[in-house]
Amino acid sequence: MLLTMIGRYCLDENPEISTTGYVDVLARIGVSAHATRLTVSRMTERGLLERSRRGRAAYFRASEVGLDVVRRQQQHTFHDAVENPDPQGAWTILSFTLPETHRKERHLLRRRLAWESFGLLRDGVWIAPGERDVSAILAQLPGAGVDQHVEVFTAYPRFADVEGMISRTWHLDELAARYHRFLRAWDVADPVPEATDDLGRDLVLESAWRQLLRETPRLPAEHLPPDWPAARCHELFRTLHETYRGDADRIFAGILAEHRMS
């Protein structure tokens, strides 16, 4: 939720916001002050936020790492297509073998490959439709020399059973079920009863949609099952976001005016 907040409202100016400002935002969706403070602390430990002080008050702003993360999230959420209509038979294949000394980097690489809609073809080998530039993913990994353990190439393979490969790699039945759950949760009169205003509703909506996109491979339409629900979900997301965004922007502007470092 906090990364969603930063992506929506803090990318341009990246203001320093007090701890109570973060508490104020997440209280609108029922998150306790203790849970919010703990989340802010963990995000700081992970290098996503930077802390500064004025007197006894603590203020936080997104680090360069955090800004890069939310920029990519915003790109996926609002600009990338849910489906990749024309990879022209190209696939990007990435393999890596990271030693135990790079356990952290190995975990982060797997997470970021999944976010970039790569699927695990087999142990240590990942695949994504189309031509993908993974240089930004590798640059974000903290260990030195990680790229020496990674091989990436674009290929035009002839799979004996491409539909079977896709089904095994991305588990499309499970993904379709999650899309249908999104429709059932959000295509109702009051989808976020715990939210106190449109700022809370919009943060929950964007976070839920982004979580769904994490596992969406952006496959070409000819490789998707009939009546694939992604387009309906995308349209619902856009409609609800446009409904919430005006009031949400005004509410956050008031919070920022009250809780930012001057």
Side-chain angles (χ1 to χ4, degrees), residues 15-79:
E16 293 178 300
I17 305 172
S18 70
T19 308
T20 54
Y22 291 93
V23 170
D24 191 352
V25 170
L26 293 195
R28 296 162 190 275
I29 51 175
V31 179
S32 69
H34 173 74
T36 299
R37 293 176 190 276
L38 184 60
T39 300
V40 169
S41 176
R42 287 176 175 171
M43 290 176 66
T44 305
E45 292 172 1
R46 291 171 56 195
L48 298 171
L49 295 178
E50 297 174 340
R51 178 190 290 110
S52 59
R53 285 194 172 273
R54 174 168 292 184
R56 299 179 62 182
Y59 293 81
F60 298 84
R61 68 189 304 174
S63 66
E64 285 303 315
V65 172
L67 288 174
D68 186 64
V69 168
V70 296
R71 285 190 191 104
R72 296 179 71 82
Q73 287 184 343
Q74 292 300 100
Q75 176 68 29
H76 281 306
T77 305
F78 292 103
H79 303 293

Side-chain angles (χ1 to χ4, degrees), residues 22 37 44 50 62 89 97 125 140 164 211 230 245 252-253 255 259:
Y22 291 93
R37 293 176 190 276
T44 305
E50 297 174 340
T97 305
V125 180
Q140 293 171 7
Q211 187 66 31
R245 66 180 299 182
F252 187 82
I255 294 173
H259 296 289

Side-chain angles (χ1 to χ4, degrees), residues 7 9 78 82 94 109 129 147 149 153 159 171 175 206 214 235 238 247:
Y9 302 108
F78 292 103
V82 174
L94 180 147
L109 179 56
D147 56 347
H149 301 276
F153 55 94
F159 295 103
H171 307 290
L175 182 56
E206 287 189 38
R214 284 182 182 275
E235 184 60 32
R238 294 179 62 179
D247 284 342

Side-chain angles (χ1 to χ4, degrees), residues 21-187:
Y22 291 93
V23 170
D24 191 352
V25 170
L26 293 195
R28 296 162 190 275
I29 51 175
V31 179
S32 69
H34 173 74
T36 299
R37 293 176 190 276
L38 184 60
T39 300
V40 169
S41 176
R42 287 176 175 171
M43 290 176 66
T44 305
E45 292 172 1
R46 291 171 56 195
L48 298 171
L49 295 178
E50 297 174 340
R51 178 190 290 110
S52 59
R53 285 194 172 273
R54 174 168 292 184
R56 299 179 62 182
Y59 293 81
F60 298 84
R61 68 189 304 174
S63 66
E64 285 303 315
V65 172
L67 288 174
D68 186 64
V69 168
V70 296
R71 285 190 191 104
R72 296 179 71 82
Q73 287 184 343
Q74 292 300 100
Q75 176 68 29
H76 281 306
T77 305
F78 292 103
H79 303 293
D80 288 351
V82 174
E83 301 167 7
N84 182 359
D86 188 22
Q88 298 179 336
W91 296 83
T92 298
I93 300 174
L94 180 147
S95 66
F96 66 88
T97 305
L98 290 173
E100 192 63 21
T101 53
H102 288 292
R103 180 186 297 180
K104 179 179 179 181
E105 290 83 356
R106 187 170 58 203
H107 175 67
L108 288 173
L109 179 56
R110 288 169 177 162
R111 288 181 59 187
R112 288 172 181 170
L113 286 172
W115 173 247
E116 295 293 337
S117 73
F118 277 77
L120 183 60
L121 186 63
R122 58 177 58 90
D123 189 31
V125 180
W126 294 71
I127 188 169
E131 298 183 19
R132 304 294 179 89
D133 181 2
V134 300
S135 57
I137 299 175
L138 299 179
Q140 293 171 7
L141 300 177
V146 173
D147 56 347
Q148 298 176 13
H149 301 276
V150 179
E151 295 180 333
V152 187
F153 55 94
T154 301
Y156 294 80
R158 294 185 178 181
F159 295 103
D161 179 12
V162 65
E163 307 302 335
M165 180 278 292
I166 289 171
S167 179
R168 292 189 302 272
T169 302
W170 284 284
H171 307 290
L172 294 186
D173 289 345
E174 296 176 13
L175 182 56
R178 285 193 286 275
Y179 273 114
H180 285 298
R181 285 198 293 271
F182 181 88
L183 288 170
R184 290 194 298 270
W186 289 95
D187 196 12

Side-chain angles (χ1 to χ4, degrees), residues 183-203:
L183 288 170
R184 290 194 298 270
W186 289 95
D187 196 12
V188 295
D190 186 15
V192 198
E194 70 274 20
T196 61
D197 56 29
D198 280 353
L199 174 59
R201 294 181 189 97
D202 199 43
L203 290 177

